[in-house]
Amino acid sequence: MSEFKSGFVTIVGRTNVGKSTLINLLVGEKVAAIANKVQTTRTAIKGIVNRPNSQIIFTDTPGIHKPKHKLNETMIETSFTSIQDADLILFLIEADSKEIGRGDTKILEKIKEAKRKTILIINKIDKVKKEDLLKLIEIYRKEYPFEAIIPISALQEKYKNIILEEIENHIKEGPAYYDIEEYTDQTLRQLAEEIIREKALQILKDEVPHGIYIEIDKMKMRKNKNKEEIYDIEANIYCIRESHKGIIIGKNGEMLKKIGKAARIEMEENFGLKVNLKTWVKVKKDWLDNPNIVNKFKLK
């Protein structure tokens, strides 16, 4: 009988490089919020993959970027702490890079300091010519002794097993740290907040800058008159300006209804039962620099 392996794997990379898409592909469930906007991931989200001979615990970290306020500083601190704590690192870069940019150089420095086993994942290979990809591989190969270099397109299912098998080759014998039925250590409340925030970012697009955060006020299960279980969820969407509040609510409340409906549908799919979702929009001007709020996003 082959040995059982387990390991903690941290996914690092610059903002908007595709880390959340990759973790959702590998875990096979909706764990990390995905929106085509930088800094979507604020905390280190864990996703769990249970295989016949292994348990792999993934951490999706906030993207590395230049900090502008307290929240940004906390996000970057979380990413770098995750590198130190990992058994293995997946370093995700974009295939259309011509050189190692400032952000990727900073990540490489942290990997070198930590002396961690690292697999280089080159994402979005559909956007470049083969010869350019080979040049990029050579540039990175000279910088660090990667365990493997895997070119991928994160949206394609075929890469899932290639990456998981490579990870399994590089983690050690160990116990299952989580129940094999689990796929994340986030609470349902955290997942609900992530889903609402993702839908808001996707639907609002560039109309509201990134300064929104979600707080669930109430999350309670009850049975309706048909004896079906239903979650009553009440959530606040906080923004930093009065003008943003108007945009999020929209004319006759249409934008907020759209966000709420999209979030409710996804929650019902994720939680496996009906959801009654109510949302409010409130202004909290200083939340990006408020330690009580920002500390929620620190690595636990």
Side-chain angles (χ1 to χ4, degrees), residues 13-18 91-99 104 120-125 127-128 133 136 140 152:
R14 286 175 295 106
T15 51
N16 223 13
V17 77
F91 178 19
L92 192 61
I93 65 166
E94 287 186 323
D96 58 2
S97 311
K98 298 282 186 248
E99 57 185 21
D104 288 327
L120 182 68
I121 309 278
I122 305 177
N123 193 20
K124 305 178 184 176
I125 56 169
K127 292 185 175 179
V128 297
L133 178 60
L136 186 64
Y140 273 88
I152 67 158

Side-chain angles (χ1 to χ4, degrees), residues 182-208:
E182 294 179 17
Y183 68 87
T184 180
D185 72 343
Q186 288 193 101
T187 63
L188 287 183
R189 184 179 287 260
Q190 286 171 310
L191 283 170
E193 288 173 348
E194 276 291 299
I195 288 167
I196 295 167
R197 196 163 64 88
E198 178 191 69
K199 297 308 169 193
L201 291 177
Q202 286 176 342
I203 289 165
L204 292 164
K205 297 193 171 75
D206 293 323
E207 289 189 67
V208 172

Side-chain angles (χ1 to χ4, degrees), residues 106-118:
K106 198 161 189 174
I107 296 166
L108 260 176
E109 282 168 7
K110 293 293 178 182
I111 291 170
K112 287 173 183 176
E113 276 173 33
K115 297 184 174 72
R116 288 288 175 267
K117 284 184 175 183
T118 303

Side-chain angles (χ1 to χ4, degrees), residues 222-254:
R222 63 176 167 88
K223 288 192 177 177
N224 64 14
K225 54 189 175 188
N226 299 324
K227 303 287 185 227
E228 295 172 309
E229 288 185 332
I230 185 166
Y231 262 124
D232 286 324
I233 300 174
E234 294 180 9
N236 292 318
I237 299 174
Y238 289 101
C239 56
I240 53 176
R241 290 199 183 96
E242 204 63 51
S243 59
H244 294 171
K245 181 179 175 180
I247 293 168
I248 295 165
I249 293 169
K251 193 176 178 182
N252 301 321
E254 288 304 314

Side-chain angles (χ1 to χ4, degrees), residues 37-39 42 69 71 197 201 204 207-214 237-241 244-245 248 281-288:
K37 193 175 269 241
V38 298
Q39 302 166 32
R42 288 188 180 147
H69 39 62
L71 175 65
R197 196 163 64 88
L201 291 177
L204 292 164
E207 289 189 67
V208 172
H210 205 76
I212 60 168
Y213 92 98
I214 315 299
I237 299 174
Y238 289 101
C239 56
I240 53 176
R241 290 199 183 96
H244 294 171
K245 181 179 175 180
I248 295 165
V281 183
K282 297 179 180 179
V283 176
K284 196 170 274 196
K285 293 177 184 175
D286 65 340
W287 82 261
L288 288 164

Side-chain angles (χ1 to χ4, degrees), residues 195 199 203 257-267:
I195 288 167
K199 297 308 169 193
I203 289 165
K257 282 179 199 165
K258 207 171 171 182
I259 293 165
K261 184 182 177 184
R264 177 185 57 76
I265 290 167
E266 181 141 325
M267 282 182 208

